[in-house]
Amino acid sequence: MVQTEAENIEVFDLNSYLKERKILVEKALDESLPMGKPEKVYESMRYSLLAGGKRLRPILCLASAELTGGTIEMAMPTACALEMIHTMSLIHDDLPAMDNDDYRRGKLTNHKVYGEDIAILAGDGLLAYSFEFVAVNTKNVDPLAVIEVLALLGQTVGAAGLVGGQVLDLESEGKPDLDAETLSFIHHHKTGALLKTSVLSGAILAGTSTKIKAKLAKYAENIGLAFQIVDDILDITATQEELGKTAGKDLKAQKATYPSLWGIDESKRQAQELVREAIVELADFGQKAEPLRAIAHFITNRKY
Ligand code: GRG
């Protein structure tokens, strides 16, 4: 927080917060996965895990844990696991059998550097390791809460979450007339599910009540959908340099997106409305929820 002289009110400095948290998360990620044998697969896993990105999912997990009375130390293994899962989903998403992309986070995609076989295995390795990492490294947390987080992670990556969303997303290619309900289902599963679990897992580790978890779940569902709507918009309006990946892919694949169904301005309005609704859920938390409020605004204002 910085104090403004004129009004003597505290203004939350999101840029500094995100920068500081990103450094913390990247240090933990680097330490989480040392090189091992066979070197090729460890190198490939580390290549993508340490390739940058916003680190939004771990940052949300840590923020939610702190908001609900937990600590960074309690939540860091889960925060790392969320980024391992996110990274493996990006590796697999970029494969020729799926989105077939050559660039991610401003670098060549994993399969372009290591080959498809190793990229698939590196993704599998990261997924398995994410669960092991939480189970082995989470300290000073009720073991039942750790089990709850592990179960939630499993549900989130499986057919009820990312996998299911991705299947429908692949099937939606060449169907620009897809209905809005199916599109929202895809967005909630493919993207929203992991963002929601990022927020919820921090609160679970901190031992939060069901009532508070329900509020955070609604916050997270809204920012999750807003995040993917903005992703759809950026695919049209941003450049490859800004995104670090190929732009304009949705139009080429003839995919229905929020902008194709509603237009860019209306899509932006819907994303902003979702963020407004998300922030309403944080009303009871006062100043402590400033990081989650500011992250919600960042989601609609982001340029990458
Ligand atoms: C999870 C078992 C398992 C398999 C993967 C491929 C797949 C199933 C799912 C695809 C999920 C996917 C790639 C969703 C898109 C989510 C999204 C908007 C990614 C971009 O997130 P950012 O902007 O990226 O946070 P950075 O690089 O900043 O981390």
Side-chain angles (χ1 to χ4, degrees):
M1 298 273 184
V2 289
Q3 205 93 356
T4 62
E5 265 183 46
E7 293 167 350
N8 203 26
I9 50 163
E10 285 189 335
V11 178
F12 181 72
D13 181 357
L14 180 71
N15 282 341
S16 305
Y17 177 84
L18 290 178
K19 211 165 149 186
E20 173 228 309
R21 285 298 154 101
K22 194 172 149 158
I23 292 170
L24 214 60
V25 167
E26 294 200 329
K27 181 171 180 290
L29 284 172
D30 192 10
E31 289 166 3
S32 74
L33 183 64
M35 280 297 289
K37 284 196 174 13
E39 279 175 7
K40 197 171 179 185
V41 78
Y42 279 93
E43 203 187 297
S44 161
M45 287 158 79
R46 284 179 57 85
Y47 173 80
S48 290
L49 188 64
L50 306 178
K54 294 179 282 298
R55 310 305 194 188
L56 199 57
R57 292 147 191 86
I59 291 173
L60 279 169
C61 173
L62 299 178
S64 161
E66 281 186 300
L67 173 67
T68 52
T71 61
I72 289 185
E73 289 68 31
M74 275 176 169
M76 191 56 97
T78 299
C80 289
L82 289 159
E83 191 64 27
M84 289 173 199
I85 291 168
H86 173 54
T87 300
M88 76 74 54
S89 80
L90 299 180
I91 297 174
H92 282 195
D93 189 53
D94 291 334
L95 287 167
M98 300 215 201
D99 256 18
N100 192 18
D101 218 323
D102 292 353
Y103 291 95
R104 173 69 71 177
R105 293 171 164 171
K107 297 173 76 171
L108 281 173
T109 43
N110 198 292
H111 65 273
K112 281 278 156 190
V113 178
Y114 296 96
E116 277 181 60
D117 47 4
I118 296 299
I120 292 169
L121 292 164
D124 295 344
L126 280 170
L127 182 58
Y129 190 54
S130 68
F131 287 85
E132 178 188 344
F133 195 72
V134 172
V136 172
N137 293 288
T138 307
K139 303 279 185 289
N140 303 319
V141 174
D142 178 354
L144 287 177
V146 181
I147 292 172
E148 193 179 337
V149 164
L150 290 168
L152 183 61
L153 288 174
Q155 187 189 53
T156 304
V157 298
L162 267 75
V163 167
Q166 179 74 350
V167 169
L168 286 185
D169 189 53
L170 292 171
E171 284 178 357
S172 78
E173 286 187 17
K175 291 182 189 161
D177 54 349
L178 198 77
D179 61 281
E181 204 183 319
T182 311
L183 183 62
S184 147
F185 183 95
I186 294 172
H187 284 9
H188 272 300
H189 287 73
K190 191 184 78 166
T191 304
L194 193 58
L195 288 164
K196 182 173 168 187
T197 291
S198 303
V199 174
L200 275 185
S201 56
I204 293 169
L205 293 164
T208 311
S209 71
T210 309
K211 198 174 150 203
I212 292 182
K213 277 194 281 184
K215 282 185 186 297
L216 290 175
K218 280 196 194 146
Y219 159 85
E221 270 167 28
N222 286 330
I223 63 158
L225 182 54
F227 189 87
Q228 185 58 53
I229 295 175
V230 172
D231 210 69
D232 287 357
I233 295 171
L234 290 174
D235 185 65
I236 299 169
T237 59
T239 61
Q240 172 160 343
E241 288 66 40
E242 284 168 318
L243 296 179
K245 62 179 179 180
T246 314
K249 291 206 72 177
D250 294 337
L251 201 63
K252 222 172 170 184
Q254 291 190 289
K255 267 189 188 175
T257 61
Y258 269 68
S260 78
L261 290 189
W262 309 104
I264 290 185
D265 288 347
E266 171 58 16
S267 302
K268 275 187 190 161
R269 197 201 60 75
Q270 289 191 28
Q272 278 158 1
E273 176 56 20
L274 285 162
V275 163
R276 194 195 62 75
E277 285 170 25
I279 288 173
V280 168
E281 299 298 330
L282 304 175
D284 293 348
F285 297 102
Q287 191 100 0
K288 269 197 311 181
E290 224 27 50
L292 289 188
R293 277 189 205 101
I295 291 171
H297 285 301
F298 166 75
I299 281 172
T300 42
N301 297 333
R302 71 196 175 99
K303 302 278 178 277
Y304 58 97

